[in-house]
Structures are given as C-alpha cells and as structure tokens.
Amino acid sequence: MFAWAAYPEKPVRLVVPFTPGSITDVVARSLAQGMERELGQSVVVENRAGANGTVGTVSAIRAEPDGYTLFMVGVSTGASNVSAFKALPYDPRRDFAPIGLVAEAPFMLVARADLPVRSVKDLIDYAKANPGKLSYGYGSGSAQLCGAQVVSMGGFTATPVAYRGVPQVMTDLIGGVLDFTIADMVNGLQQSRAGKVTPLGVTSKTRSPLAPEVPSLAEAGLPDYDLNVWFGMAAPAGTSPEVISRVNSALRNVLQSPALQQQFTSNGLTVRASSPEEFRDLIASDIDKWGKVFVDAGLTPQ
C-alpha cells in the first residue's frame, strides 16, 4: 500500500476560476456531490474569478500539492491564455498535474433581442453597414477567441469587452449594453428560449442535439468554423501520482452516472472521460491549436 492509502482524510477544495453560474461552475457543482460519495469526504467548490480565470488558477497551483486542492481547467485556463497574455503567471504544461477530462461542448453566438438581425448573414451585413458601432462581450479567454474569430471571418469590426463571467455578459446583453456575445449553451439557450436574446449559431461543426433549430456557424455563413471547448480537473504540479490516480478513478466513476450524464446533456455538455496522460496531451496540443486561432483572429496579447 502506498503512503497515501488513507487519502482523503479531510475535505477537498475544488477551485473554479470563474464566477458562480458560469458553465465551468455548473460542471464543477455537478461533479462535487458524486465526488464526495466516491472519495468519502466533502468536496467544497470555491469560486475565484478574475483575469480570464488566471486569478483562481494561480491560487490553486500555489497550494500545497497534497491532493486537498483540486481545480477546474478549461480551454481558457489550460490553452488559450498562453497566447492571450504576454506574461501568463503560470504554464499549464509545467504547473498542472492533470487528473482527467470531464466534458466538452460548443458555444452559441447570440445577439441582443432588439438588434435587427436574425442570422449570421444579418449580423455581418448590419455590422458592415454600421462600421465601428457594434460591441461584444466575453467572460473567458476561449469565448474571446471564438468571438474574435466570428468578427475576423465575417470581415467586420466590433469592440470586444471583457467581463469576469458569462452571467454578467448576458445581463448587459439583455440590457442593451452589448450587441452580441459567444455564450455557453446553458446561458445562451436559457435566455434565447425566454426571448431575451436571438440565437444565431453554434460553434461546433454540426448542430447541437440540444438546439437542433439553431444552425452551426459553418452552415450559417462562416465556412469551416469549428471550435468546441472542454472542461477537466487538475491538481498542483508535484501532487503524488497515487493521489492523481485515486481522484481520476473517482472522477471516471462519477462520469459513468446516468443521472449526471443526463444533467450534462441538458446543459449542452458531452461527457468525455480520460486518463491523466491523455488530458496532458490534449492541453499541450490545444495550446498550439488555440494559439493559431489567436493569430488568425488578429488579436494582441494583453
């Protein structure tokens, strides 16, 4: 038996580097209850938002690598931030001990309800007829890149506005402060079905089963547009391999739950479990992938 055979012996902290109500928060809280059953200890979700997830991520990687601090990783914190910041205060390849993937999902392009557009073509035409007048908000680095890619591929201009999380973006979009945004499926569908925003397309190559009436951006006028986001779990670098294996096993068991899978499906998420090694490889490859998106969108590091 290894030295960590009794792990965990006290509550485990799960850091979410985005605001309550964000899709990363929804994923984390969906996992927490099942992880508690598997680990036999409380799993306490802690939101620490700011700077495209950098604030919470840095706080997590600086914690003692004893298995009692885990954190959620997404495309922003695990890949796109590497290109988005001139001096990112961490390196996902060096500072993370990947545990495993959790899920993947598309984003949704939505516009404020009173903007006179009902399709991607309408948005492009309206933006070109009103140069410099449109703005879009984003609550994460991956959403920023997805939005910038829409602007770049559409050949128009729009002012990007950063927020701490998607819920705040949606509030300002509904209030008329912003013109459009790239939102997660949870917030996008909820507000579009309430008639508060207009859905224009999903970022995946094909339509989402959750919203088959909404076209993909590729079929709606932006050929080859195909960007999904993913969510996973990690620990600070230096965490015992035995603990990583223990948590990975617990995570895989939780992801096999039909109830959790249904909950994920209702939020536009597809379960995608993996080994720690597979997750490490994905992070490395997606740093390059999203770096290219960053360059193609013509963005400048902060």
Side-chain angles (χ1 to χ4, degrees), residues 16-235:
V16 175
F18 295 101
T19 57
S22 64
I23 187 61
T24 309
D25 180 68
V26 170
V27 171
R29 293 181 188 278
S30 297
L31 293 173
Q33 187 174 1
M35 293 291 288
E36 289 181 347
R37 289 195 301 269
E38 290 292 326
L39 296 175
Q41 286 286 350
S42 297
V43 176
V44 182
V45 176
E46 178 182 310
N47 296 89
R48 300 200 66 175
N52 280 354
T54 298
V55 172
T57 300
V58 169
S59 75
I61 65 171
R62 290 178 178 171
E64 188 72 23
D66 56 7
Y68 292 99
T69 295
L70 310 175
F71 59 100
M72 297 302 298
V73 181
V75 165
S76 297
T77 55
S80 66
N81 277 357
V82 174
S83 297
F85 290 87
K86 292 179 182 178
L88 188 67
Y90 67 88
D91 185 336
R93 294 158 292 199
R94 179 193 65 222
D95 299 320
F96 293 6
I99 293 170
L101 271 169
V102 172
E104 64 180 0
F107 275 138
M108 177 181 282
L109 173 64
V110 297
R112 58 181 172 87
D114 60 347
L115 193 70
V117 304
R118 293 295 178 268
S119 67
V120 171
K121 182 179 183 304
D122 287 348
L123 178 65
I124 294 172
D125 291 345
Y126 183 86
K128 289 181 176 179
N130 297 273
K133 292 186 178 181
L134 295 187
S135 64
Y136 66 97
Y138 60 88
S140 68
S142 52
Q144 175 193 16
L145 289 184
C146 287
Q149 190 80 323
V150 168
V151 172
S152 175
M153 293 178 71
F156 63 92
T157 60
T159 302
V161 184
Y163 286 78
R164 289 170 63 86
V166 176
Q168 293 84 356
V169 176
M170 297 302 289
T171 296
D172 276 3
L173 182 66
I174 293 168
V177 177
L178 301 168
D179 296 298
F180 65 95
T181 189
I182 294 285
D184 57 77
M185 293 292 287
V186 176
N187 285 285
L189 275 179
Q190 180 181 6
Q191 301 302 338
S192 65
R193 287 176 174 169
K196 295 181 178 180
V197 300
T198 303
L200 302 180
V202 294
T203 62
S204 52
K205 189 172 184 179
T206 59
R207 299 189 181 206
S208 167
L210 194 62
E213 72 279 9
V214 180
S216 68
L217 293 181
E219 68 175 296
L222 300 178
D224 300 322
Y225 194 110
D226 182 18
L227 292 173
N228 280 345
V229 293
W230 45 257
F231 307 88
M233 189 180 293

Side-chain angles (χ1 to χ4, degrees), residues 31 35 38 99-102 233 244-257 260-261 271-279:
L31 293 173
M35 293 291 288
E38 290 292 326
I99 293 170
L101 271 169
V102 172
M233 189 180 293
I244 296 298
S245 178
R246 171 79 174 92
V247 180
N248 176 267
S249 177
L251 181 61
R252 283 176 177 269
N253 287 341
V254 171
L255 293 175
Q256 289 176 1
S257 163
L260 181 132
Q261 291 179 6
V271 167
R272 188 180 174 190
S274 79
S275 68
E277 295 75 21
E278 289 168 335
F279 189 25

